[in-house]
Amino acid sequence: MTDFKTVEASVINISELMQPSHSNFGGKIHGGYILNLMDQIAFACASKHSETYCVTASVDTVDFLNPIDIGELVTMKASINFVGHTSMVVGIRVESENIRTGKVKHCNSSYFTMVAKDDHGNSVNVPGLILNDKNEVKRFLKAIKRTQTKRMRKSEFDKASFSYENYMEELKQHNVKIELPDKY
C-alpha cells in the first residue's frame, strides 16, 4: 500500500440517464435511488484510495437541492476529502443535465464516511492524503469541522444530565405541542 496518495488518484465520475423506473409518485427521480448511487460511488472512491474493501459508516448533510427529472443525465463526482487512520470522508457532488437544453443543475452534495476493512472485517489503515490545491485543503478542514461539530452534539445529547426540561424555552419556538402524561 502507498503511504500517501493525491486526491486526484481516487476521483470517480459516473453518469447515468434517469429512466421512468427510477421515479417516485410525483414523477421526479426517487431520492432513495440517488442515495443508492451515491453509496456506490463512495464505495468505489474509498476502495480505490484504500486499495481494499470499504463499508459506509455514516452519511452527512444530504440536502436535495433540486429535483431530477426523468430523461436527465445525472453525473456524480466523488473524491476523498479527508482521511483518518482507517476512515475516509468521500465528498460527492450530484448534478443533472437536461440533454435537450444542456442546462445543468446542482442537485445534491453529500459526505460519506467510509471505513477500510480487511478480509476478516477488521478495520485497516488507509494511505494519507496529499493536498495539491487550496480547495483540497478547504475540503479537508471542513471535514474536520463537521466531525468536531458531530462529536460536540453527541457529547451534549449523551450526557446523563441531558433532559428535555432544559430545552423547554427552545421548544416553545417551534411548531410543537407537548402533552406528556403526569407519570412521565
Side-chain angles (χ1 to χ4, degrees), residues 28-82:
K28 303 296 181 185
I29 300 306
H30 195 285
Y33 183 74
I34 297 301
L35 284 171
N36 179 46
L37 291 177
M38 292 171 72
D39 191 52
Q40 290 177 42
I41 195 172
F43 169 83
C45 183
S47 295
K48 189 173 180 183
H49 181 80
S50 65
E51 301 175 9
T52 189
Y53 180 77
C54 295
V55 296
T56 305
S58 69
V59 181
D60 292 326
T61 319
V62 180
D63 294 321
F64 293 99
L65 305 173
N66 288 296
I68 300 170
D69 293 313
I70 296 168
E72 289 186 329
L73 182 66
V74 167
T75 299
M76 296 187 182
K77 302 169 186 175
S79 63
I80 302 293
N81 286 5
F82 173 86

Side-chain angles (χ1 to χ4, degrees), residues 75-135:
T75 299
M76 296 187 182
K77 302 169 186 175
S79 63
I80 302 293
N81 286 5
F82 173 86
V83 294
H85 296 289
T86 62
S87 66
M88 299 149 280
V89 174
V90 178
I92 303 169
R93 181 177 175 94
V94 180
E95 296 177 341
S96 69
E97 179 181 357
N98 181 313
I99 56 176
R100 291 183 186 161
T101 66
K103 181 182 176 190
V104 176
K105 299 182 289 193
H106 177 205
C107 300
N108 185 323
S109 289
S110 191
Y111 308 96
F112 280 61
T113 300
M114 308 297 288
V115 177
K117 298 288 186 174
D118 65 15
D119 292 339
H120 306 290
N122 301 310
S123 298
V124 295
N125 288 334
V126 300
L129 199 58
I130 299 169
L131 305 175
N132 283 322
D133 67 38
K134 289 179 182 178
N135 277 336

Side-chain angles (χ1 to χ4, degrees), residues 164-165 179-184:
Y164 69 87
E165 286 95 350
E179 296 179 347
L180 299 175
D182 292 336
K183 295 179 185 179
Y184 204 89

Side-chain angles (χ1 to χ4, degrees), residues 1-35:
M1 179 189 324
T2 310
D3 287 346
F4 288 87
K5 289 183 173 182
T6 63
V7 171
E8 187 62 34
S10 54
V11 167
I12 301 281
N13 293 300
I14 62 169
S15 295
E16 184 174 329
L17 186 64
M18 294 295 103
Q19 300 178 28
S21 61
H22 305 141
S23 67
N24 60 25
F25 293 112
K28 303 296 181 185
I29 300 306
H30 195 285
Y33 183 74
I34 297 301
L35 284 171

